[in-house]
Amino acid sequence: MTTTTTNPTRTSYLFRDGVVALVTASVATVSVAAVGHAAGVSLDVDGAPIPILGFGTLTALFSVVGLVLAAVLGRTVRHARRAFVRTTVVLTALSLVPDLLVAAGPATRALLMLTHLVAAAIVIPAVARRLPA
């Protein structure tokens, strides 16, 4: 019988750094959306406006999903950091697909994709560095 032990300090650092990254990424995506909107980029998708604070809310939600993924991988996978980075890069790429397909102008689509990339650039490295290589 093999037992898996988890380093509680590593997990607490993972969540601490993950929450800091979550807040930072949420503020960053709200800022990107606000700057884009102030520059004249429409935030209307399918005829309905996206609230600027909605960018931060969804960033926080999906960052929590990423943290849960990291915690699970950290407990179950031998090379958790590599698995997390590969998985989240693929998920980030997939998250861009709906932005390409929405009924919105090209500038709006680009702004939506930029917010995904900004959030990923903040959260993925912050969480990955706390996972075992």
Side-chain angles (χ1 to χ4, degrees):
M1 177 174 124
T2 57
T3 60
T4 304
T5 59
T6 302
N7 183 341
T9 304
R10 183 182 306 156
T11 303
S12 65
Y13 285 137
L14 171 71
F15 283 106
R16 182 199 66 192
D17 289 0
V19 169
V20 169
L22 175 154
V23 171
T24 303
S26 294
V27 169
T29 57
V30 167
S31 299
V32 167
V35 168
H37 188 60
V41 177
S42 171
L43 296 180
D44 291 355
V45 173
D46 291 326
I50 300 172
I52 289 178
L53 293 179
F55 287 87
T57 302
L58 286 177
T59 299
L61 174 70
F62 285 104
S63 295
V64 168
V65 171
L67 278 172
V68 171
L69 173 66
V72 169
L73 290 174
R75 291 175 183 250
T76 60
V77 177
R78 177 172 284 177
H79 300 288
R81 183 180 305 159
R82 184 178 342 154
F84 176 76
V85 170
R86 287 180 179 174
T87 302
T88 53
V89 166
V90 168
L91 291 172
T92 300
L94 290 173
S95 78
L96 300 176
V97 173
D99 295 339
L100 292 170
L101 302 175
V102 296
T108 302
R109 289 179 185 162
L111 182 65
L112 293 172
M113 289 189 284
L114 178 61
T115 61
H116 289 235
L117 297 175
V118 165
I122 294 169
V123 175
I124 293 171
V127 173
R129 87 175 116 248
R130 289 298 177 187
L131 291 170

